[in-house]
Amino acid sequence: MKIAFVASEAVPYAKTGGLADVVGTLPKYLEKLGLSTAIILPRYRGIEGEEILKTEIDIAGEKEIKFYKKDNAYFIDYPDFFDRSGLYGTPTGDYPDNCERFTLFCKGALKLVEILKPDIVHCHDWQTGLLPLYIRRAGLKIKTVFTIHNLGYQGRFGSEKFNILGIEPEYFTPEGIEYYGGINLLKAGILYSDAVTTVSPTYANEIQSQEYGFGLDGVLRKEKNKLTGILNGIDYEVWNPQRDNLIYQCYNDYKGKQVNKIGITNECLLDYKRPLLGMVSRIAGQKGFDILIKVLDDIITLNYNFIFLGFGDEEYSQKLKTFERSYPNRVMVNIKFDETLAHRIYAGSDFFLMPSRYEPCGLGQMISLRYGTVPIVHKTGGLADTVFQFNPQDFSGNGFLFEVYSRDALFATLKTAYEIYCNSALFETLSENCMKYDFSWNRSASEYKKLYSRLLV
């Protein structure tokens, strides 16, 4: 079985978020199950490879594109669109020609698909939403899977962009890709693919509701028979405390973990004896910063230390830095990306905080579990599918959850977690229980293989 992954990013070539981790890692695990995989990406600035072909694409006029190859990855090269400083935009906003850029990408991917002749084309997010439509329109006998990683990003553009797509007017209807007078490329992927997946079972249900559907809940309910939630995994070859050369000391038990807590608290000038609450996150409203900001003073009063790593929204960033200045030696805020520090926070923290308003899957809680760092999360999406309330009576569960999205619910959960921490023997048991959970890609890859097989029957 041959699978072609088509996406706007994948590690190690280009990354802005979890999408890249999934597209770069899942094929590796499918190969272990006997599948043949290829990845199709834009050729962004700095990506190397061997030129293998050139052709022309008609998008507002003929444009010459080239195809490059490296290992199992194919790159669509058009420097005017992809040789830029950012993948989707600049700090001031999205590129105004993103519709043109990813229409060209999908048309180029169609050419590659015709050459490679895979059994399944697996598309990811709105940037590839046109490809299932193009494949169906071309009459190719190839099945398509479309994965929604975050329904909040849909590829919505004005109606003036429709002619760029190169498709017939019959597609510009409410039953097609029209959306409130404009076009919606994520909607195209949902409608014209053979199967739709999203990145956790709970999120697959949530996005069919008005609260989480971002205007597409009706479309998703209509297409629910082809919608499946398959939980993402993490790469245990990368996230492994027993072999992680970025942390202070490799470990496989609570005692070894404490060496890492000493290391991170010394490095960040924090008090080792207090419980350490870690957070590695993009700074955005979705990630729960509106309620977190309201509870930060109480977190310190409760006796926690707090360490943060990430970047994003400027307003929340400034509030976090103000909080750091108010509590020296109790709070460390790092507004940046730092791979080494991220690993050390996962390894050295006692608790890992993810108060997301919604979370399609989430990788941070799976990583924290791998490192024996107890997650504290809002019960939503993939967080609800991976974190289970700890019961001190029978030692079941692996973390702490709050169901109502509010400052008070978050604080109450932090109090419960603190009480467990104060019982050192109980907390050690909980931490070591966390390390036993398996959220590797092995299980998820098997689920995808079953899905692909059903489509080919």
Side-chain angles (χ1 to χ4, degrees):
M1 193 187 308
K2 296 193 296 184
I3 315 297
F5 282 76
V6 186
S8 58
E9 55 183 87
V11 293
Y13 305 106
K15 176 178 176 175
T16 65
L19 167 64
D21 294 305
V22 173
V23 178
T25 306
L26 176 56
K28 180 169 63 175
Y29 284 81
L30 290 171
E31 294 269 355
K32 294 179 182 179
L33 297 177
L35 282 67
S36 173
T37 64
I39 302 173
I40 300 174
L41 300 164
R43 185 172 180 243
Y44 298 113
R45 180 176 295 174
I47 293 178
E48 300 295 334
E50 176 188 0
E51 182 182 336
I52 58 172
L53 184 68
K54 65 176 64 176
T55 187
E56 289 192 340
I57 296 289
D58 182 12
I59 168 173
E62 293 292 325
K63 292 178 170 55
E64 182 181 88
I65 65 170
K66 297 177 181 178
F67 299 115
Y68 285 72
K69 185 176 188 296
K70 182 177 183 181
D71 300 325
N72 72 327
Y74 295 82
F75 307 101
I76 295 169
D77 182 61
Y78 187 68
D80 284 356
F81 281 178
F82 301 125
D83 185 11
R84 300 183 181 182
S85 59
L87 272 57
Y88 312 120
T90 68
T92 60
D94 292 344
Y95 293 128
D97 61 348
N98 272 347
C99 183
E100 290 87 340
R101 297 173 73 225
F102 291 103
T103 297
L104 178 139
F105 174 59
C106 288
K107 288 190 173 185
L110 179 65
K111 297 268 189 183
L112 268 177
V113 164
E114 291 172 333
I115 295 168
L116 297 174
K117 295 182 172 59
D119 300 296
I120 303 280
V121 173
H122 191 157
C123 303
H124 297 262
D125 273 351
W126 72 262
Q127 295 89 348
T128 65
L130 288 170
L131 186 53
L133 187 160
Y134 287 155
I135 288 174
R136 184 176 294 194
R137 184 171 165 271
L140 300 181
K141 303 301 182 183
I142 295 172
K143 297 295 185 179
T144 56
V145 176
F146 183 70
T147 295
I148 302 167
H149 292 261
N150 189 332
L151 193 66
Y153 301 93
Q154 298 182 4
R156 290 156 55 174
F157 302 98
S159 60
E160 72 279 0
K161 301 284 190 180
F162 180 77
N163 290 336
I164 292 166
L165 311 185
I167 57 178
E168 293 75 20
E170 64 200 57
Y171 290 99
F172 189 67
T173 66
E175 292 72 35
I177 69 169
E178 186 269 335
Y179 183 84
Y180 292 98
I183 59 176
N184 187 315
L185 303 189
L186 190 83
K187 185 183 178 187
I190 295 169
L191 291 176
Y192 298 104
S193 58
D194 296 295
V196 179
T197 73
T198 191
V199 291
S200 70
T202 295
Y203 192 59
N205 291 324
E206 287 177 344
I207 60 176
Q208 296 179 60
S209 70
Q210 188 172 1
E211 181 180 3
Y212 293 103
F214 286 93
L216 289 178
D217 49 292
V219 175
L220 289 159
R221 288 193 298 271
K222 183 179 177 182
E223 301 291 332
K224 66 181 179 180
N225 289 337
K226 66 179 183 182
L227 175 62
T228 307
I230 299 177
L231 191 69
N232 282 343
I234 59 172
D235 189 346
Y236 275 21
E237 294 176 13
V238 174
W239 299 105
N240 184 350
Q242 297 179 50
R243 295 198 299 268
D244 190 338
N245 60 11
L246 297 180
I247 63 178
Y248 301 95
Q249 178 178 298
C250 295
Y251 64 95
N252 61 2
D253 59 14
Y254 186 74
K255 182 178 179 181
K257 180 174 174 57
Q258 293 311 293
V259 176
N260 285 275
K261 182 179 180 182
I262 292 170
I264 191 72
T265 51
N266 285 344
E267 180 179 337
C268 297
L269 303 177
L270 302 173
D271 181 1
Y272 164 79
K273 295 180 182 179
R274 302 178 193 270
L276 180 58
L277 186 64
M279 189 173 183
V280 179
S281 175
R282 176 169 52 89
I283 304 176
Q286 174 213 331
K287 297 296 185 179
F289 284 90
D290 54 342
I291 60 172
L292 175 61
I293 292 297
K294 295 174 183 176
V295 82
L296 283 173
D297 288 308
D298 294 326
I299 288 174
I300 296 304
T301 302
L302 197 54
N303 207 33
Y304 282 100
N305 285 340
F306 179 63
I307 181 168
F308 175 83
L309 172 66
F311 59 90
D313 182 275
E314 183 64 24
E315 180 181 354
Y316 287 129
S317 299
Q318 290 304 316
K319 288 180 178 179
L320 288 171
K321 293 302 286 185
T322 298
F323 183 67
E324 179 186 54
R325 290 190 293 271
S326 299
Y327 297 102
N329 305 118
R330 299 290 305 281
V331 174
M332 171 65 73
V333 174
N334 305 275
I335 307 298
K336 61 181 180 178
F337 175 77
D338 184 326
E339 186 71 20
T340 298
L341 183 57
H343 281 247
R344 291 178 174 182
I345 290 173
Y346 283 117
S349 299
D350 296 300
F351 298 98
F352 190 80
L353 182 61
M354 292 185 71
S356 307
R357 180 183 294 273
Y358 71 94
E359 191 66 64
C361 178
L363 300 179
Q365 82 281 12
M366 298 185 205
I367 297 169
S368 72
L369 288 167
R370 178 71 163 152
Y371 284 73
T373 301
V374 181
I376 299 174
V377 307
H378 178 218
K379 190 176 182 180
T380 184
L383 301 177
D385 292 327
T386 51
V387 180
F388 313 105
Q389 184 66 36
F390 177 64
N391 183 340
Q393 304 305 314
D394 61 7
F395 306 112
S396 63
N398 59 9
F400 301 92
L401 304 94
F402 59 100
E403 296 195 20
V404 178
Y405 184 77
S406 71
R407 171 220 178 276
D408 290 342
L410 170 57
F411 183 64
T413 304
L414 286 163
K415 283 184 67 177
T416 300
Y418 179 74
E419 290 166 3
I420 297 296
Y421 175 84
C422 290
N423 184 328
S424 57
L426 188 60
F427 186 73
E428 179 175 339
T429 299
L430 171 56
S431 174
E432 293 195 342
N433 282 351
C434 288
M435 299 182 200
K436 298 173 184 176
Y437 281 78
D438 181 6
F439 290 110
S440 70
W441 270 111
N442 292 320
R443 168 190 38 78
S444 304
S446 296
E447 291 298 310
Y448 276 111
K449 183 178 180 180
K450 292 176 186 176
L451 174 64
Y452 301 151
S453 298
R454 288 198 299 268
L455 289 177
L456 295 177
V457 171

